[in-house]
Amino acid sequence: MQDDGMRRPEEVVGYWCETLTAKDWWQSTPDLDARVFSRFCATHRALSRAVTPEWRESPEARLAAIIVLDQFPRNMYRASPMAFATDWIARREARLALEAGADKLVDYGRRHFFYMPFEHSEDLADQDLSVALFEAHGDEMYLDYAIRHREVVAEYGRFPHRNAFLGRVSTREEEAYLAEPGAGF
């Protein structure tokens, strides 16, 4: 760790992809959310201001930037607007990484993180790209999630489960959807 609390890309990837498990990624706990906040908040804040060349100099560094901007906020700022505040930066970095072919140069089990910023978008074109990327990726579980995310955005134009956190009023249709068991992500 650097003196300013900023972590290096390899520390991000090591923690997220080697220390944690897939269960941690998808079934977080308040304790894990607090640990991610404590360890990576300074890094997230710095990257939200500027993604410096260090975070683009290798495929793993690009992966780390996307994890910091797309995954970490969902832990650090769960149930708040801040959870989604850097999504647009994550999408920009994911596009740049894809243009550089970085996704194909990391371990197969980590590639999906390059595609998730598009799955998290409320823009239908991004959702279409997400589904295409996950189809090419070839993992049925991730493709299923991508399709389900796309269906929600196609139906409602947004993710209704975010409405309460973002101060948006839900439509009757969204309220009915949210009342269904397992609605939202």
Side-chain angles (χ1 to χ4, degrees):
M1 182 172 72
Q2 301 169 6
D3 291 336
D4 59 3
M6 183 79 172
R7 301 287 179 153
R8 294 183 311 274
E10 59 270 17
E11 291 177 275
V12 170
V13 173
Y15 181 76
W16 194 250
C17 297
E18 295 164 17
T19 302
L20 299 183
T21 66
K23 182 180 178 186
D24 295 317
W25 300 337
W26 315 131
Q27 297 174 9
S28 189
T29 65
D31 178 61
L32 177 59
D33 290 351
R35 283 186 281 140
V36 172
F37 182 88
S38 173
R39 190 169 184 155
F40 296 104
C41 182
T43 305
H44 178 259
R45 288 182 180 163
L47 288 181
S48 73
R49 289 188 294 275
V51 178
T52 58
E54 171 188 20
W55 295 88
R56 293 179 180 148
E57 68 185 15
S58 71
E60 290 285 327
R62 289 178 181 275
L63 173 65
I66 292 165
I67 290 169
V68 169
L69 294 163
D70 183 66
Q71 295 296 305
F72 285 176
R74 285 164 167 74
N75 291 87
M76 295 188 302
Y77 307 114
R78 189 173 303 281
S80 83
M82 289 292 295
F84 317 109
T86 56
D87 281 7
W88 70 273
I89 306 170
R91 280 192 305 279
R92 180 193 68 202
E93 293 304 309
R95 284 190 205 316
L96 292 171
L98 294 176
E99 288 171 12
D103 59 319
K104 303 294 190 235
L105 299 174
V106 300
D107 180 80
Y108 177 83
R110 299 176 180 179
R111 288 181 193 166
H112 61 276
F113 290 115
F114 287 101
Y115 313 144
M116 293 189 76
F118 306 108
E119 182 178 300
H120 291 152
S121 175
E122 292 185 320
D123 180 88
L124 192 54
D126 288 339
Q127 289 295 323
D128 290 340
L129 176 58
S130 167
V131 169
L133 290 167
F134 280 113
E135 280 178 341
H137 184 56
D139 183 298
E140 291 300 316
M141 180 194 73
Y142 287 119
L143 176 58
D144 177 62
Y145 275 102
I147 291 169
R148 289 173 33 206
H149 279 75
R150 186 197 178 284
E151 288 172 349
V152 170
V153 172
E155 176 78 17
Y156 303 104
R158 59 188 183 178
F159 292 116
H161 64 277
R162 294 183 185 176
N163 290 351
F165 307 131
L166 296 175
R168 302 187 301 209
V169 176
S170 293
T171 64
R172 279 193 208 99
E173 294 82 7
E174 289 172 332
E175 288 173 356
Y177 162 74
L178 292 170
E180 294 174 13
F185 299 99

